[in-house]
Amino acid sequence: MSETIGNYSPAPDLLKDKVILVTGAGDGIGRIAARTFAAHGATVILLGRTTAKLEAVYDEIEEAGGPQPAIFPMDLNEARIETFEHFAEAVDQEFGRLDGILHNASVLGQRTPIVNYHYATWEQVMRVNVNAAFGLTKTLLPLLEKSDAGSIIFTGSGVGLKGRAFWGAYAVSKFATEGLMQVLADELDGVSNIRVNSINPGATRTNMRAAAYPAEDPNTVTRPQDIMPTYLYLMGDDSRGVSGKQFNAQG
């Protein structure tokens, strides 16, 4: 059963002094989440494939007066466990801990029947949407344990709760994402200060949405800015004790 947060008003300093990793931070929901977390006091680690996009978000955060962010370019399709291990070492050396992860990076893949689905595309979607989230989480858990209240947020989807024709690897990857969230939350329950949840953003005005629905008028779709209360609630200390749940950002 998915949950919603109702009317939530975060404190301006909700994330003060927290160190938060955002994947897919160069565009779409990730870009807005990074800016929003920084606006509430977080030092944000911007991870994404395109350095120029990350630099643009970096500049936006600094211009808005947020804490100085960090940039880590990484192609999650090419990354291997050694990549994630080296990244964890770099975060440890620079910050000494991690307070939160927003696993936002995803690729859409093809919108086509399974019988026509390209195997290479299927593998790519699984690497980026599932394997990379697993690899990053696995290697960063020791740093999250150093936080007073660590939070991991996975990004789900409606097609990851009930399968839908022609959504192929994307839908299957989101089913896997929900499974990873639930298994990890259950493992950490009662033995860790880390909470683990997922967010279904719903229909949101992003480039991925435009690719999936090319005929749709983007002005009829919710902006990423408008779904940030759920992200802030789950990343901030107001959600302490909440774990293993899936939230609808547009409930």
Side-chain angles (χ1 to χ4, degrees), residues 14 28 42 80 88 120 141 169 198 208-209 217 225 227 229 245:
L14 176 74
R80 298 296 179 261
L141 275 173
S198 68
M208 180 182 288
R209 177 75 184 185
D217 179 0
Q225 293 91 325
I227 62 173
K245 299 182 182 296

Side-chain angles (χ1 to χ4, degrees), residues 206-229:
T206 63
N207 290 334
M208 180 182 288
R209 177 75 184 185
Y213 296 94
E216 184 177 68
D217 179 0
N219 292 318
T220 65
V221 184
T222 301
R223 302 179 308 161
Q225 293 91 325
D226 299 328
I227 62 173
M228 284 299 112

Side-chain angles (χ1 to χ4, degrees), residues 139-189:
T139 54
L140 292 170
L141 275 173
L143 290 174
L144 285 161
E145 292 286 2
K146 296 181 180 181
S147 173
D148 292 336
S151 177
I152 302 174
I153 302 174
F154 291 95
T155 301
S157 171
V159 297
L161 297 174
K162 178 175 174 51
R164 195 179 306 164
F166 314 126
W167 280 85
Y170 183 81
V172 175
S173 75
K174 293 304 178 178
F175 273 98
T177 296
E178 293 298 329
L180 176 57
M181 179 275 285
Q182 292 176 22
V183 169
L184 184 59
D186 200 41
E187 288 178 355
L188 299 178
D189 184 30

Side-chain angles (χ1 to χ4, degrees), residues 22-249:
V22 177
T23 73
D27 205 355
I29 293 173
R31 169 173 164 262
I32 297 301
R35 290 171 49 182
T36 302
F37 292 160
H40 285 79
T43 297
V44 183
I45 303 171
L46 307 169
L47 188 150
R49 184 178 57 182
T50 308
T51 301
K53 289 184 177 181
L54 299 178
E55 289 174 341
V57 179
Y58 181 104
D59 291 343
E60 290 168 353
I61 290 172
E62 288 225 308
E63 288 168 7
Q68 183 180 29
I71 290 179
F72 282 90
M74 185 186 299
D75 185 344
L76 296 179
N77 185 46
E78 300 293 334
R80 298 296 179 261
I81 189 63
E82 296 80 12
T83 313
F84 304 131
E85 290 170 346
H86 293 154
F87 173 68
E89 291 171 4
V91 173
D92 190 18
Q93 289 175 6
E94 186 158 348
F95 300 105
R97 75 173 198 284
L98 192 61
D99 297 292
I101 303 174
L102 170 59
H103 288 295
N104 168 76
S106 291
V107 292
L108 181 63
Q110 296 172 271
R111 292 286 310 281
T112 190
I114 292 293
V115 69
N116 295 331
Y117 212 97
H118 296 154
Y119 189 80
T121 303
W122 186 281
E123 287 190 313
Q124 178 193 26
V125 172
M126 293 302 166
R127 280 195 298 268
V128 175
N129 296 8
V130 183
N131 297 354
F134 160 72
L136 282 169
T137 301
K138 170 183 166 62
T139 54
L140 292 170
L141 275 173
L143 290 174
L144 285 161
E145 292 286 2
K146 296 181 180 181
S147 173
D148 292 336
S151 177
I152 302 174
I153 302 174
F154 291 95
T155 301
S157 171
V159 297
L161 297 174
K162 178 175 174 51
R164 195 179 306 164
F166 314 126
W167 280 85
Y170 183 81
V172 175
S173 75
K174 293 304 178 178
F175 273 98
T177 296
E178 293 298 329
L180 176 57
M181 179 275 285
Q182 292 176 22
V183 169
L184 184 59
D186 200 41
E187 288 178 355
L188 299 178
D189 184 30
V191 299
S192 173
N193 57 6
I194 302 170
R195 59 198 184 277
V196 189
N197 297 282
S198 68
I199 295 177
N200 172 15
T204 310
R205 196 184 306 172
T206 63
N207 290 334
M208 180 182 288
R209 177 75 184 185
Y213 296 94
E216 184 177 68
D217 179 0
N219 292 318
T220 65
V221 184
T222 301
R223 302 179 308 161
Q225 293 91 325
D226 299 328
I227 62 173
M228 284 299 112
T230 303
Y231 288 77
L232 287 167
Y233 170 72
L234 288 177
M235 195 56 78
D237 288 350
D238 290 335
S239 62
R240 282 187 186 226
V242 177
S243 192
K245 299 182 182 296
Q246 202 239 31
F247 285 78
N248 279 328

